[in-house]
C-alpha cells in the first residue's frame, strides 16, 4: 500500500498596455503607428509527498519545485496603406523587444533578451464586380503556451511523465499566400494557396526510455517545417439571425530536426475543417456552435489520429 499527495498551485497573469495613432492623408491613404507591451507571469508551485502508512508523509524532492516565468514583450509598429483605382496595398513593420526571466528551484536562472522584426505586405487587385485577387507576405511568431513551459504537468503515472521545457523558444514562420476573394450580397468565398516556412517548430518529443523503462516527453524546438496548402473560407448570411462560416485547409507538411541525438523526420498530407454557426437570439444575446475536425497526421515520432 502506498499513499501519495499532490499539491499544485499554478496560474498565469497578464497585463497589456497599448496606444495607437492613425493619420489619414490624401484621398484614401493612411499611416498608422502604435505601441504595445505585454507583461506575462507564469507560476507553478508543485509538491509531491509519499507515505507508507498514510500518516507520516515524506516530500519527494525530485517532483517538488517552485517555478516562475516572466516574459515582457514590447512592440513598436508602423503600417502604411493606400488605394489607387482598382489596386490597394499595405506595408507594415513590427519590432519586438523580448525580455525573459525563468527561475526554477535548485536550477540556474534562465535569462533571454532578443529583438525581432516582423515585416508584412498585402496587395489587392479588384478584377471585376466585387471580386478581388490578393497577394500577401507576413512573418509571424508563435510563443510557447503555459503547459509547454511548466517543468511538470502531471504526476499520475510512474512510467510516463509529461513535462514542460522552460528553455523552449518561440517558433517563427514566413508565410506567402495568393488568393481569390469573391463577394456576393449575403455571402463570400475565398480560395487561397500558401507556402509557410517555420524555423524552430515546437513539437512534443519522447526521450529514450531510461534503465527503469521510464519515458519522459516534452516540447522541443526542432529544425525546420515547410507547409504547402490550399485553403477555402466561406460565409453565408441565411437570415438576419443566422450566419454560417466555414474553413477547409488541405496541406502537405514536412518536418525535420534533431533531439536527444536522434534525427527526426515526418512527412504528412492531411486536412482540417471548421464550421461555425452564429445564432442571434436577441439584441444582447448570441449563441455559437462550432464543429472542428482534424484528419490523421504523421508526426516525427508516431502518428496523431483523427
Amino acid at each position: 500500500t502506498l499513499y501519495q499527495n499532490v499539491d499544485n498551485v499554478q496560474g498565469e497573469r497578464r497585463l497589456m498596455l497599448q496606444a495607437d495613432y492613425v493619420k489619414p492623408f490624401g484621398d484614401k491613404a493612411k499611416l498608422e503607428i502604435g505601441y504595445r507591451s505585454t507583461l506575462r507571469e507564469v507560476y507553478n508551485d508543485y509538491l509531491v509527498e509519499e507515505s507508507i502508512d498514510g500518516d507520516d508523509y515524506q516530500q519527494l524532492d525530485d517532483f517538488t519545485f517552485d517555478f516562475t516565468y516572466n516574459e515582457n514583450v514590447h512592440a513598436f509598429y508602423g503600417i502604411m496603406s493606400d488605394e489607387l483605382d482598382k489596386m490597394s496595398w499595405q506595408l507594415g513593420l513590427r519590432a519586438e523587444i523580448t525580455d525573459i526571466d525563468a527561475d526554477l528551484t535548485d536550477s540556474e536562472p534562465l535569462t533571454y533578451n532578443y529583438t525581432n522584426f516582423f515585416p508584412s505586405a498585402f496587395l489587392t487587385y479588384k478584377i471585376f464586380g466585387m471580386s478581388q485577387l490578393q497577394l500577401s507576405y507576413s512573418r509571424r511568431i508563435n510563443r510557447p503556451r503555459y503547459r509547454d513551459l511548466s517543468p511538470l504537468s502531471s504526476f499520475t503515472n510512474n512510467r510516463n511523465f509529461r513535462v514542460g521545457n522552460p528553455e523552449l523558444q518561440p517558433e517563427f514562420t514566413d508565410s506567402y499566400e495568393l488568393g481569390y476573394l469573391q463577394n456576393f450580397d449575403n455571402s463570400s468565398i475565398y480560395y487561397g494557396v500558401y507556402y509557410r516556412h517555420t524555423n524552430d517548430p515546437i513539437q512534443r518529443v519522447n526521450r529514450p526510455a531510461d534503465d527503469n523503462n521510464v519515458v519522459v516527453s516534452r516540447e522541443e524546438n526542432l529544425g525546420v517545417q515547410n507547409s504547402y496548402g490550399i485553403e477555402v473560407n466561406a460565409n453565408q448570411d441565411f437570415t438576419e439571425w443566422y450566419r454560417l462560416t466555414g474553413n477547409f485547409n488541405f496541406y502537405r507538411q514536412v518536418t525535420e530536426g534533431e533531439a536527444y541525438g536522434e534525427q527526426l523526420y515526418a512527412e504528412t498530407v492531411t486536412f482540417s475543417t471548421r464550421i461555425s454557426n452564429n445564432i442571434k437570439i436577441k439584441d444582447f444575446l448570441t449563441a455559437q456552435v462550432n464543429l472542428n475536425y482534424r484528419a490523421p497526421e504523421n508526426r516525427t515520432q508516431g502518428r496523431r489520429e483523427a
Side-chain angles (χ1 to χ4, degrees), residues 37 47 63 78 121 124 183 191 241 259 274 289:
S37 286
L47 170 66
F63 302 99
T124 301
N183 292 299
Y191 310 90
W241 54 268
R274 182 181 69 253
V289 179

Side-chain angles (χ1 to χ4, degrees), residues 6-72:
V6 176
D7 182 49
N8 184 20
V9 179
Q10 62 184 26
E12 185 173 356
R13 301 187 184 98
R14 285 177 179 265
L15 174 65
M16 188 181 75
L17 307 173
Q18 181 170 335
D20 294 285
Y21 174 76
V22 179
K23 172 64 176 177
F25 60 92
D27 292 334
K28 298 181 179 180
K30 182 174 62 175
L31 173 65
E32 180 179 352
I33 58 175
Y35 151 82
R36 184 172 71 176
S37 286
T38 304
L39 312 180
R40 176 189 181 200
E41 178 190 4
V42 174
Y43 58 92
N44 188 3
D45 300 335
Y46 217 98
L47 170 66
V48 179
E49 298 176 316
E50 193 171 85
S51 172
I52 300 299
D53 55 12
D55 293 323
D56 183 21
Y57 280 86
Q58 301 296 320
Q59 176 178 300
L60 298 183
D61 293 335
D62 288 343
F63 302 99
T64 299
F65 61 86
D66 293 335
F67 173 66
T68 58
Y69 179 92
N70 294 290
E71 177 186 83
N72 299 326

Side-chain angles (χ1 to χ4, degrees), residues 234-252:
N235 67 79
Q236 172 74 51
D237 292 331
F238 289 98
T239 67
E240 293 183 355
W241 54 268
Y242 178 51
R243 178 183 179 87
L244 177 69
T245 61
N247 168 269
F248 179 79
N249 185 14
F250 177 81
Y251 59 95
R252 175 179 180 266

Side-chain angles (χ1 to χ4, degrees), residues 216-231:
V216 176
S217 63
R218 75 173 190 173
E219 303 289 345
E220 299 287 351
N221 290 112
L222 300 184
V224 295
Q225 183 177 83
N226 291 295
S227 301
Y228 316 81
I230 300 173
E231 190 168 18

Side-chain angles (χ1 to χ4, degrees), residues 10 26 34 40 62 66 68 75-76 87 91 99 128 130 135 161 170 185 194 214 219 227 239 243 250 265 288:
Q10 62 184 26
R40 176 189 181 200
D62 288 343
D66 293 335
T68 58
F76 303 88
M87 183 177 296
L91 296 175
D99 294 318
F128 53 85
M130 295 186 291
L135 180 65
F161 290 99
D185 291 337
Y194 65 83
V214 174
E219 303 289 345
S227 301
T239 67
R243 178 183 179 87
F250 177 81
Y265 178 85
Q288 187 177 86

Side-chain angles (χ1 to χ4, degrees), residues 81-149:
S81 62
D82 197 1
E83 183 174 343
L84 306 171
D85 195 18
K86 293 185 177 183
M87 183 177 296
S88 61
W89 56 269
Q90 176 181 297
L91 296 175
L93 179 64
R94 186 175 82 256
E96 286 190 358
I97 303 171
T98 304
D99 294 318
I100 296 175
D101 294 296
D103 191 12
L104 178 64
T105 302
D106 298 329
S107 299
E108 289 293 327
L110 299 174
T111 301
Y112 301 108
N113 306 103
Y114 49 84
T115 301
N116 299 110
F117 295 93
F118 301 92
S120 63
F122 300 88
L123 181 64
T124 301
Y125 182 77
K126 295 180 181 179
I127 303 176
F128 53 85
M130 295 186 291
S131 299
Q132 299 177 352
L133 191 65
Q134 300 178 346
L135 180 65
S136 66
Y137 162 77
S138 62
R139 179 170 170 82
R140 311 170 185 173
I141 183 172
N142 179 34
R143 298 184 183 277
R145 301 171 300 170
Y146 162 73
R147 283 178 60 86
D148 300 335
L149 299 167

